[in-house]
Amino acid sequence: MATIKVAVIGVGNCASSLVQGKYHYAASNTAHGLIHEEIGGYRVSDLEFVAAFDVDSRKVGLDLGQAIFAKPNCTKVFYADVPATGTIVKMGAKLDGVAPHMLTAANDRGFEVDETRDATKAEIVQTIKDSGAEILVNFLPVGSQDATEFYMECALEAGVGVVNCMPVFIASRPEWEKKFADAGLPIIGDDVKAQVGATIVHRVLSNLFKQRGVTIDHTYQLNTGGNTDFMNMLDRNRLSSKKESKTEAVQAVLSERLADENIHVGPSDYIPWLHDNKLCFLRLEGNLFGDVPMNLELRLSVEDSPNSAAVVVDAIRCVKVGLDRGIAGALTGPSAFFCKHPPEQFTDDVAAQMTDDFIQAESSLAAE
């Protein structure tokens, strides 16, 4: 089987888990922890990382196999023997991707921006083309509106599909989705769900209440963590799209939409010693038979970045299937299953079936 050539924007914790995962599954020959072992005939080990961009001086210029372990990355190392990939991390474009408070953090936790000039669009497009990349994965920090749109234009000019892992709305905005459709390129987005994370658990429980006839009156989701994502989100001005993405993901599965004052979903605080561990606290309050009140509380503890990578490896392979089949624009089922803010919301069981149908359709075509 051919490899899937991937370019990565942002060599942070999520990229680290994604790259480690390729080598872990190649070495272990196991499907443990995967949602899908194969998609369109492609395995996780078929991913090939051919281009990478960052703006941190501790990563720019390093081989990607080294850069994924450089500070301020702090995710769990589950595969330490990542070899030299031959892909050197190139200087990207800062734009609004670096919040000012991230430059003054102590103990190697923030960013140390490379002092060389930003790469131009033409240089980034040429690097992507020269690498042979087919798919660009966006791991920019939350709040990087200008930077995300810049890299999306790069993707369109370079002719590559996209997995938009962060909450700047691209696949779910008609004007951007049309650009990818017109260019003949598939995209999955926006804002990747974790494998078993706060939003997916919140959605499943909310849908369970709906299915069992329990009316939800109030709910909250509080999240804490110690990685650069949570540090970045200390700047509340960067959170508008993130809160919208997470809140609408929950609202979409409720039997009745809650008033804003009765639902709170979003990041809550940064606790450095948690590192890449994310703690989520959920509460749902509702009424049972006879209008008798009940409530449910849940505490979830997960390593944030591997939780994301489990979904991203599937999204990448679905985009590759889209490329192979000549499908352009937002991939509806996979976007709904893999992302919090897709172009169209479905319950997770329906989105899962739509994704499996998408995958099986490719298998059926391959067999003909």
Side-chain angles (χ1 to χ4, degrees):
M1 197 75 188
T3 61
I4 305 174
K5 299 184 186 301
V6 179
V8 176
I9 307 299
V11 187
N13 287 304
C14 290
S16 179
S17 292
L18 179 63
V19 175
Q20 288 184 64
K22 174 240 169 40
Y23 294 98
H24 168 78
Y25 284 102
S28 64
N29 196 30
T30 178
H32 294 170
L34 294 177
I35 303 171
H36 295 95
E37 183 175 5
E38 286 191 6
I39 293 178
Y42 298 103
R43 294 174 173 266
V44 176
S45 56
D46 293 324
L47 273 59
E48 182 183 359
F49 300 96
V50 296
F53 300 89
D54 205 281
V55 298
D56 195 298
S57 60
R58 294 163 293 184
K59 297 172 183 176
V60 174
L62 291 183
D63 185 276
L64 181 62
Q66 294 176 287
I68 60 171
F69 299 120
K71 295 291 185 181
N73 291 4
C74 60
T75 192
K76 182 178 179 62
V77 176
F78 59 87
Y79 193 85
D81 299 324
V82 174
T85 64
T87 295
I88 303 301
V89 178
K90 298 290 184 68
M91 181 65 183
K94 295 185 288 293
L95 300 168
D96 58 353
V98 180
H101 73 280
M102 297 295 293
L103 300 173
T104 58
N107 301 319
D108 292 324
R109 294 187 177 275
F111 296 146
E112 295 181 7
V113 174
D114 194 287
E115 294 182 356
T116 59
R117 67 170 177 81
D118 285 8
T120 65
K121 181 189 288 187
E123 289 170 336
I124 291 171
V125 169
Q126 194 61 52
T127 297
I128 294 172
K129 286 182 174 181
D130 291 345
S131 73
E134 304 163 277
I135 299 166
L136 183 145
V137 179
N138 179 23
F139 283 133
L140 285 171
V142 169
S144 305
Q145 181 78 36
D146 294 341
T148 292
E149 293 185 357
F150 170 85
Y151 280 110
M152 293 303 102
E153 292 288 358
C154 291
L156 288 164
E157 290 189 26
V160 296
V162 165
V163 177
N164 183 31
C165 298
M166 50 88 65
V168 167
F169 304 145
I170 302 294
S172 57
R173 282 174 58 190
E175 63 271 29
W176 274 102
E177 195 275 340
K178 185 177 185 299
K179 290 182 180 183
F180 280 88
D182 290 346
L185 298 169
I187 180 171
I188 287 177
D190 301 306
D191 195 11
V192 70
K193 293 174 186 168
Q195 185 174 18
V196 180
T199 298
I200 187 69
V201 171
H202 204 163
R203 281 170 57 91
V204 168
L205 289 173
S206 298
N207 192 51
L208 174 66
F209 276 42
K210 179 173 69 175
Q211 291 175 334
R212 306 301 290 181
V214 179
T215 302
I216 296 176
D217 295 324
H218 307 93
T219 187
Y220 65 64
Q221 179 195 129
L222 308 178
N223 300 299
T224 64
N227 58 26
T228 48
D229 187 34
F230 277 92
M231 177 184 283
N232 172 64
M233 291 187 291
L234 287 174
D235 181 350
R236 296 311 199 213
N237 293 322
R238 299 179 71 86
L239 287 185
S240 58
S241 63
K242 182 69 172 179
K243 284 186 67 63
E244 179 182 345
S245 176
K246 289 174 71 67
T247 301
E248 290 303 314
V250 176
Q251 290 274 31
V253 295
L254 298 177
S255 57
E256 295 181 9
R257 186 179 181 87
L258 291 174
D260 291 346
E261 64 185 23
N262 293 329
I263 180 170
H264 178 87
V265 182
S268 299
D269 213 343
Y270 168 69
I271 303 174
W273 58 264
L274 287 177
H275 302 297
D276 196 40
N277 185 248
K278 177 178 180 177
L279 294 181
C280 166
F281 302 89
L282 290 179
R283 181 178 175 90
L284 297 93
E285 298 179 355
N287 294 287
L288 298 165
F289 184 80
D291 212 26
V292 176
M294 60 87 65
N295 67 75
L296 179 152
E297 290 194 349
L298 177 145
R299 176 187 182 274
L300 173 69
S301 175
V302 290
E303 192 76 3
D304 208 15
S305 300
N307 211 12
S308 163
V311 177
V312 177
V313 294
D314 278 19
I316 290 170
R317 290 181 289 169
C318 282
V319 169
K320 173 59 174 171
V321 167
L323 288 167
D324 290 346
R325 292 171 58 187
I327 300 174
L331 302 183
T332 304
S335 289
F337 187 48
F338 298 136
C339 297
K340 301 182 186 80
H341 198 274
E344 188 174 357
Q345 290 278 9
F346 299 90
T347 58
D348 293 286
D349 53 348
V350 171
Q353 186 60 58
M354 292 173 69
T355 300
D356 286 341
D357 289 345
F358 173 86
I359 294 167
Q360 291 304 315
E362 167 62 13
S363 299
S364 299
L365 287 172
E368 292 178 358

